[in-house]
Amino acid sequence: MLISEMEAVLRSLDQRVGRIEQILPTLATKTELRDEIRGVKVLIEDLRDDVKLVHERIDVEMAGLNRHLDERFGAVDAKLGSVDGKFATVDARFATVDGRFDKVDDRFDKVDDRFDKVDDRFDKVDDRFDQMLAQFAEVFRRLDRIERR
């Protein structure tokens, strides 16, 4: 390597060292870095504690919410039980009414049977009446013959 090249390399190296010397005072020392790391660790621990507190608060709120929901569902269950009881009562009443309708229907069937019997009797009476009319007509015809003689 030539002297001029060596001088150029040295100048370049000198410039670099100058820039490094300007930056070095702004860089943290090992002690400062360790102190900062300890501070970050403290912050991390504080954050962990805060997260634990938030988690515990969430657990407390969830437990309260679960209790509230259980109470509400219990109330809804009770109301549904009441409604079921009312439906059972209505079902029983409908069964009673249905039984009464069956009895009325049976009575109508009996009345219908009686009307059929009465109708049959009227038919017999009507037939007998027709027979009697025919006999009276015969009697009157014979009486007319006798009177004409």
Side-chain angles (χ1 to χ4, degrees):
M1 204 192 270
L2 298 174
I3 293 180
S4 63
E5 289 177 347
M6 293 264 288
E7 286 177 356
V9 169
L10 283 174
R11 254 188 252 123
S12 174
L13 188 61
D14 190 38
Q15 289 173 353
R16 285 183 184 171
V17 169
R19 281 184 285 205
I20 291 171
E21 285 176 345
Q22 287 177 355
I23 294 172
L24 277 176
T26 62
L27 295 178
T29 62
K30 282 185 179 181
T31 307
E32 290 172 337
L33 286 175
R34 284 186 186 131
D35 289 344
E36 287 299 317
I37 289 172
R38 271 191 233 116
V40 169
K41 285 181 180 179
V42 167
L43 288 175
I44 290 172
E45 286 301 316
D46 288 345
L47 186 59
R48 282 184 182 154
D49 291 342
D50 289 346
V51 167
K52 284 180 185 177
L53 288 174
V54 168
H55 189 273
E56 289 171 2
R57 181 66 185 172
I58 288 172
D59 286 344
V60 167
E61 290 297 322
M62 286 298 294
L65 182 61
N66 285 336
R67 275 193 308 276
H68 181 71
L69 287 174
D70 287 344
E71 290 169 1
R72 298 292 272 180
F73 280 127
V76 168
D77 278 346
K79 287 183 180 181
L80 287 177
S82 171
V83 169
D84 283 344
K86 289 177 182 177
F87 275 125
T89 302
V90 169
D91 284 343
R93 287 182 180 172
F94 274 125
T96 302
V97 169
D98 192 40
R100 288 180 180 172
F101 275 124
D102 287 343
K103 287 179 183 178
V104 168
D105 196 34
D106 290 343
R107 286 182 180 172
F108 275 122
D109 288 342
K110 288 178 184 177
V111 168
D112 193 38
D113 290 343
R114 286 182 182 170
F115 275 122
D116 287 342
K117 288 179 183 176
V118 168
D119 194 35
D120 290 343
R121 286 182 181 170
F122 273 122
D123 287 343
K124 288 179 184 177
V125 167
D126 195 36
D127 289 343
R128 298 265 318 218
F129 188 71
D130 288 343
Q131 289 172 358
M132 287 175 66
L133 282 177
Q135 288 174 355
F136 278 127
E138 181 64 26
V139 167
F140 286 128
R141 191 178 55 80
R142 286 184 182 175
L143 281 176
D144 279 342
R145 264 195 215 164
I146 295 174
E147 279 181 4
R148 284 188 204 155
R149 294 193 199 169

